[in-house]
């Protein structure tokens, strides 16, 4: 299973794009993109949109990978991680059926 960084790096290399070309398009420092590809830093959602464009990746699928990475890294060290995911799934279903009104 690939991480978001691996997905981005593999696609960039498959397209033959240089790190500096992609970082210029996304308007971030080349070192930041390198850290994202090595999973040492998380991209923002805005970065993901631009990365999806230049790397011709599906934006929705990339967002799913991004969000799942965030959750997995946050709870992976917890003994109750699987239970947390099950409860969170129920909460998401509840929140979608009972939207918060602003």
């Amino acid at each position: 299973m690939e991480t978001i960084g691996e997905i981005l790096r593999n696609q960039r290399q498959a397209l033959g794009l240089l790190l500096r070309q992609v970082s210029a398009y996304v308007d971030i420092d080349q070192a930041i993109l390198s850290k994202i590809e090595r999973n040492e830093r998380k991209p923002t959602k805005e970065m993901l949109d631009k990365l999806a464009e230049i790397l011709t990746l599906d934006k929705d699928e990339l967002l799913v990978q991004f969000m799942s990475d965030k959750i997995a890294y946050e709870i992976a060290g917890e003994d109750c991680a699987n239970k947390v995911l099950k409860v969170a799934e129920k909460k998401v279903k509840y929140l979608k059926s009972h939207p918060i009104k602003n």
Side-chain angles (χ1 to χ4, degrees):
M1 180 167 286
E2 289 181 309
T3 64
I4 188 82
E6 291 166 340
I7 292 168
L8 296 171
R9 176 183 292 157
N10 290 341
Q11 184 67 2
R12 179 181 60 75
Q13 291 175 339
L15 294 173
L17 294 171
L18 299 174
L19 204 59
R20 66 178 160 77
Q21 293 173 304
V22 176
S23 62
Y25 183 83
V26 179
D27 196 25
I28 59 174
D29 189 89
Q30 190 174 322
I32 292 173
L33 181 56
S34 178
K35 287 183 178 182
I36 291 170
E37 287 188 349
R38 287 180 280 139
N39 299 305
E40 294 175 6
R41 183 175 175 147
K42 300 288 176 227
T44 64
K45 287 175 80 173
E46 292 76 25
M47 287 178 196
L48 278 182
D49 285 344
K50 288 188 171 185
L51 288 166
E53 287 174 10
I54 192 168
L55 297 175
T56 62
L57 293 167
D58 182 275
K59 284 183 182 183
D60 291 338
E61 183 58 34
L62 201 55
L63 182 60
V64 168
Q65 295 298 326
F66 170 72
M67 297 299 289
S68 64
D69 269 13
K70 281 179 71 170
I71 294 167
Y73 282 108
E74 181 71 26
I75 67 171
E78 303 295 334
D79 291 337
C80 59
N82 288 337
K83 188 174 180 180
V84 169
L85 289 175
K86 288 177 185 173
V87 172
E89 184 178 13
K90 288 179 185 175
K91 286 183 180 180
V92 168
K93 286 179 183 174
Y94 175 81
L95 291 172
K96 284 190 173 196
S97 64
H98 299 83
I100 298 170
K101 296 176 184 171
N102 293 330

